[in-house]
Amino acid sequence: MAFTPKKQAFNAKINAVTLGTGDKSIVIGGQNVLPFYTFDAPIANKPKIAIEISDKGLEGIVSPGLLEFYAGCETPVHMAKKAETMEGASAICLHFESADPNAENTSVADCVALAKAVADAVEMPILVMGCKNIEKDAELFNAISDALQGKNILVLSAREENYKNVGASAGLAYNQKVGAESAVDINLAKQLNVLLSQLGVPAQSVCMNVGSSAAGYGFEYLSSTLDRVKAAALAQNDAQLQMPIVTPVSPETWGVKESMSPEEESPEWGPLDERGIEMEVCTASACLVGGSDMVIMKHPAAVATIAKFIDSLM
């Protein structure tokens, strides 16, 4: 007697969110099965990879592979155009690190000028990450959302402290997509989604960032949160947790000691570039099997590896 596996497709599904415009636009989410459970039901939109580009350009990068890939790129605009050629890339994530008032404190006007230049130079969808300063990010996201009207960008992220400002400007006034960022807790993630909904931001305009962590640095908390969010969204049909998940992997993985310590100081750890790539691949793959619909990465070798990983499971 032949074995007939029992399929588990859910009546509920993750919202499908479109980013970008034209031929290069992408859709994340839309599935009604657990991550990569293609044996239960087809998954129309495979997980995507966005490439992080810092507004600092190559400043602070220690990876030989990254420096080689971007050789000759004099500005973040040049880097963004080169990033579009990466195998597996689907979007560009512009990270405004220098806007931090406690660091370079780059003006909002200068950040907007860079965002417009990148938007004019690339065809892929654009994600925007701020500097983690609540007030500065709210001002920055408002201005960039205005300047890039019609580009259908994703702004990362609205947080509990500034969701009214970011949601009202990016999500309502300028019709951009909004990332809801919470701190590795399913209840906080749901609460923020509820608040954005009450503000009037459509559920189809919201993505979630439920937290991020490098593998080995408290990642088990992120892993359990990803699992719980997907289970609640699908098995319990919780509409306030059915937004697709976007996870910034590269800002975490390339900032830990394993990815930054010089080889002469830690020869037992092996080549510097290999360590960083392995950390990024391990973290990104774990996020994807946990439920991330898009991961933000940096190194071309890591991106190519994760792209093949995704394709092999689809």
Side-chain angles (χ1 to χ4, degrees), residues 199-245:
L199 189 65
V201 181
Q204 288 71 26
S205 292
V206 177
C207 297
M208 288 188 290
N209 170 12
V210 300
S212 55
S213 170
Y217 286 80
F219 187 84
E220 63 272 19
Y221 296 102
L222 175 58
S223 177
S224 63
T225 301
L226 288 168
D227 289 342
R228 293 180 66 196
V229 167
K230 283 300 186 197
L234 295 174
Q236 299 173 24
N237 196 15
D238 191 330
Q240 296 298 344
L241 289 171
Q242 289 172 348
M243 294 72 173
I245 297 173

Side-chain angles (χ1 to χ4, degrees), residues 6-14 29-47 225-237 241 245 287-293 313-314:
K6 183 179 179 181
K7 296 182 181 297
Q8 188 183 20
F10 301 97
N11 292 325
K13 68 176 184 179
I14 305 301
Q31 69 274 21
N32 67 331
V33 293
L34 294 172
F36 298 113
Y37 275 43
T38 52
F39 43 80
D40 280 344
I43 297 177
N45 307 308
K46 67 180 182 181
T225 301
L226 288 168
D227 289 342
R228 293 180 66 196
V229 167
K230 283 300 186 197
L234 295 174
Q236 299 173 24
N237 196 15
L241 289 171
I245 297 173
C287 288
L288 289 167
V289 298
S292 293
D293 298 279
L313 293 177
M314 296 297 293

